Amino acid sequence: MKSSGRLADRDGWTAADWCPMEYALQFIGTHSAMVLLREAFWGGRRFDDLARGAGVTEQIAAKRLRELVDAGLLEKQPYREPGQRTRYEYVLTDRGRDLFPVLISLIEFGRVLQAGSGTELIHRNCGESVVPQVRCAGGHDVSFSDVIIRKTKRRRREV
C-alpha cells in the first residue's frame, strides 16, 4: 500500500535518514534525562540537588548527566566549598536552553492529562498563563493538519 496525504513523499526513507525527533531522542529520550533537565531549568545545579529533585539514583544521575554534558546540553563548572575538594555544577548551555519550548509543552500536556493538577506556569511580567504554541516562520499559528513534511538537503551542523 502506498502512503498518501501529508506524509506521502517519505516512502522509502528510514526514520534515521530523515527524522530530527529521532536524532534528538538519542540525547533526551529517557525519563531520567528529561527530569534532570527539568531540575536544571528550575535552577538545580549541583549533583545531589539534581539527583534528589529528579528522583533518580546517583548511578543513573551520573550516567545521564555525563550524556547530557557530552551532548552539549549541560556543561560542568567547577566550584569549591571552603575546606572541601573541587566539585562540579551542571549548567544549561544555549543548546540546553533551546529545549525550553519542549519542556513547556510536556508540562502542559501533563497538566491536561492530570486534570486539576494544581499547577500552572505564569509569565512573571504580566501574570498570564504560559501556553505552548506552534507557529511558522511567518508568524501564523499552525495546527497538525496544516503541516506537511518533506526531505531537504542535509545541512552540516556543529555538534
Side-chain angles (χ1 to χ4, degrees), residues 103-150:
L103 183 76
I104 296 303
S105 294
L106 286 170
I107 289 170
E108 185 58 22
F109 182 66
R111 278 179 20 85
V112 169
L113 290 176
Q114 191 184 35
S117 71
T119 61
E120 65 181 326
L121 300 172
I122 302 297
H123 182 208
R124 180 189 319 241
N125 293 342
C126 74
E128 292 294 325
S129 295
V130 174
V131 295
Q133 288 185 288
V134 178
R135 293 181 178 237
C136 70
H140 307 107
D141 288 345
V142 177
S143 70
F144 173 73
S145 62
D146 295 330
V147 176
I148 60 170
I149 189 166
R150 68 178 179 205

Side-chain angles (χ1 to χ4, degrees), residues 8-136:
D9 58 332
R10 74 180 191 116
D11 285 351
W13 303 353
T14 64
D17 290 337
W18 67 271
C19 187
M21 181 185 81
E22 188 163 328
Y23 180 74
L25 287 173
Q26 293 176 38
F27 306 106
I28 61 167
T30 65
H31 174 269
S32 54
M34 286 305 298
V35 293
L36 285 162
L37 285 167
R38 176 198 65 203
E39 293 303 310
F41 270 101
W42 297 154
R45 296 171 71 110
R46 298 195 174 168
F47 179 88
D48 292 340
D49 295 333
L50 291 166
R52 184 176 46 258
V56 297
T57 66
E58 288 185 5
Q59 293 81 8
I60 293 292
K63 180 179 181 184
R64 292 295 178 256
L65 289 169
R66 187 172 41 256
E67 292 169 351
L68 293 168
V69 167
D70 291 346
L73 301 171
L74 294 174
E75 70 179 12
K76 289 171 65 171
Q77 295 181 348
Y79 74 93
R80 187 175 189 166
E81 299 284 347
Q84 299 290 320
R85 65 180 171 85
T86 299
R87 301 185 75 175
Y88 293 90
E89 303 182 307
Y90 296 86
V91 180
L92 286 163
T93 62
D94 288 341
R95 180 181 279 180
R97 284 187 291 277
D98 286 344
L99 285 168
F100 180 68
V102 174
L103 183 76
I104 296 303
S105 294
L106 286 170
I107 289 170
E108 185 58 22
F109 182 66
R111 278 179 20 85
V112 169
L113 290 176
Q114 191 184 35
S117 71
T119 61
E120 65 181 326
L121 300 172
I122 302 297
H123 182 208
R124 180 189 319 241
N125 293 342
C126 74
E128 292 294 325
S129 295
V130 174
V131 295
Q133 288 185 288
V134 178
R135 293 181 178 237
C136 70

